Structure formats: structure tokens, C-alpha cells
Amino acid sequence: PRAVLVLCTGLAMVLSSTPVFADAGLRLKLAQVRMAGTPLDPRPGALAELAREVALRTSVAVDPARTLVALDGDAIHRHPLLFLPVEGPLEVPTPEALAVLGAWLQRGGTLVIDFAGDPGQVEDLLASVSALVAAVLPGIRLERLGAGSILYRTFYRLRSPAGRIQLFPELYGATLGDRLAVVVSLNDLLGALDRRRDGEWRFRVVPGGERQRERAIRLGVNLVCYVLCLDYKNEKVHLEYLRSRRNWRLEPEPGAGP
């Protein structure tokens, strides 16, 4: 509902005034983080497109310019949400980078790791992310996020994750307290959102074409709204609202029943 979206915007402003995000300003800026061994900039137009879609579809104030940050200073503390595109298993960061990332996650940050590599490397990728989580958040485990995950109903009602491809039916996440600190997407979410400078999509979306791309955009919007609103749609009033608004879900999704 509109009132809830205004609440999200207000929370974004509150976040921007807290120490962890002290320089974020009144607009959320979508940021991409780099780690050792990760691609330089594989999806250069994706976050700008996601920012545009969030601004068009919600009341969240978003800066249209994305930014690149590294794990070697204070820059990440200006952002509540960071995207990390990867094409293979993660390398072990330096102790200094681990300390920076761990402090950011503990203070409220959410890291979205978006895999765009060979599907045959997924198990190795997940093992490397599990090792990273164990290093920065001792005692926290990476786990599958089932169909009931809050990420599928934070703004849009979805049944499964989508991206440039549609091979993996689940997201993965690491929960710190009552919130997701790390989210892993395996279907190249940013690849579905990436536009070239001429305005054309950079990649075809397979096998579902533009309907699948729309589901990927909706998942991206849900991720942004989740970070700003946390679990407000876990509350009973919002669950009842979603049950009465079935048009929030695209029908049908591949492999989904009625």
C-alpha cells in the first residue's frame, strides 16, 4: 500500500542519519562492491536500471547513479545495500577486508551476491560463500531460502527467483538476528537488468523472455524494499492484504501450479 511505501522512504531517511550510513544522504544509492578475484564490472548498466525501476514503481527515493566501492576503507559504510557480481567461487579476502565486511554486516548492511558464471560451478560458489559467512559472521550459516521467504513478498508477490537464466529455484541467505545479512542469487539477476548505453538490453533472457525479465526486475525491487523496510510484510495485516491482491503475482510462472 502507498502508506507502507511512504514508511519505506522515511526509514531510508532514518538509515541515512545513523552512524553506519552517515553520508548516504536522503536518497538510496545502489552500490557494487569489488573483492579480490571478482570481475571488474560485468553488468555496468544493471544497477542504474534497477534504481530507475525502484523510483518508478515505489516511493523510495533512489539516486540514479550507481557507485563502485572496495573493501579497503570506509566507503561501504555509506551504503545499506551492496551488490557483488561474481562469475566463480570467491577468493578469500585479506584479514583487513574481512574485518571491514564483518563490521558493515554487523551494523546493518546487506550483501547480495549475484552469480553469473558456469552453472557447473554453483556448488563451489556456495561453498566459498559459506566460508566467507563463517569468517565474517561466526556461528551464522548460509541456508536455502524457501518459497515462504520474505524476499518474495516485500513489495511484489513472487514464487521463485528469476534472472537472465532460470535454472535455480531458490535463493540462499545468511540470517543475522531477524534479518538477512547475505543473499545469494544464482540466476544472474543483474544480467536481466543490464542495459547498454543505447537503451537496449545487453542480454537475452532465457527461457522465459520478457516475462522472466519482469520477474527479475520485481525481485530486484523486493531486495531494495526489504533492506529499507526489513520484515514489515511478515506482519499479519500485510499477509492478509497480499492474499486479497493476487494480481501482485505474475501468472503463470514456469512450473507453477494454479
Side-chain angles (χ1 to χ4, degrees):
R2 182 75 176 184
V4 173
L5 300 182
V6 173
L7 174 62
C8 292
T9 306
L11 183 52
M13 293 180 180
V14 170
L15 283 174
S16 70
S17 65
T18 60
V20 66
F21 308 125
D23 297 326
L26 296 182
R27 289 177 176 268
L28 174 70
K29 178 175 285 189
L30 300 182
Q32 177 180 318
V33 65
R34 288 201 61 216
M35 292 174 55
T38 59
L40 178 61
D41 197 9
R43 303 290 184 260
L47 293 187
E49 177 63 20
L50 178 55
R52 187 182 75 87
E53 294 291 348
V54 170
L56 286 173
R57 297 169 185 234
T58 79
S59 295
V60 175
V62 186
D63 189 323
R66 64 91 188 245
T67 188
L68 298 174
V69 299
L71 288 178
D72 57 3
D74 295 330
I76 71 168
H77 293 290
R78 301 171 187 168
H79 305 282
L81 171 64
L82 293 176
F83 288 85
L84 174 64
V86 299
E87 294 179 346
L90 300 176
E91 295 184 10
V92 179
T94 65
E96 294 78 12
L98 287 174
V100 170
L101 179 60
W104 177 77
L105 292 171
Q106 291 282 358
R107 298 179 70 186
T110 297
L111 176 67
V112 176
I113 299 172
D114 187 45
F115 180 63
D118 180 352
Q121 290 188 299
V122 161
E123 292 301 321
D124 291 338
L125 178 276
L126 291 175
S128 71
V129 176
S130 292
L132 176 67
V133 169
V136 296
L137 299 174
I140 304 299
R141 297 180 57 187
L142 186 72
E143 299 178 321
R144 286 185 176 90
L145 301 179
S149 171
I150 187 61
L151 294 180
Y152 298 135
R153 58 178 184 272
T154 308
F155 185 79
Y156 288 108
R157 188 180 183 193
L158 303 171
R159 288 182 172 177
S160 60
R164 179 183 57 83
I165 61 174
Q166 188 81 53
L167 290 179
F168 301 97
E170 295 172 312
L171 298 169
Y172 285 73
T175 303
L176 178 61
D178 59 357
R179 67 177 184 85
L180 286 163
V182 178
V183 176
V184 183
S185 165
L186 300 175
N187 290 313
D188 191 7
L189 171 65
L190 296 180
L193 275 61
D194 196 10
R195 282 192 189 272
R196 305 194 306 253
R197 290 186 177 181
D198 62 5
E200 296 297 319
W201 295 113
R202 192 177 302 274
F203 300 105
R204 292 176 56 245
V205 172
V206 292
E210 294 311 302
R211 290 180 64 83
Q212 182 175 317
R213 193 188 306 278
E214 172 63 19
R215 288 195 297 276
I217 292 170
R218 293 186 176 199
L219 177 58
V221 171
N222 277 14
L223 285 166
V224 172
C225 287
Y226 172 77
V227 169
L228 298 183
C229 302
L230 295 180
D231 59 354
Y232 73 86
K233 279 192 178 169
N234 260 340
E235 296 174 6
K236 185 175 185 297
V237 62
H238 297 293
L239 293 175
E240 293 299 327
Y241 179 84
L242 285 174
R243 290 190 187 102
S244 69
R245 289 290 302 275
R246 295 185 64 85
N247 60 316
W248 279 36
R249 185 182 67 222
L250 287 178
E251 297 278 6
E253 292 192 16

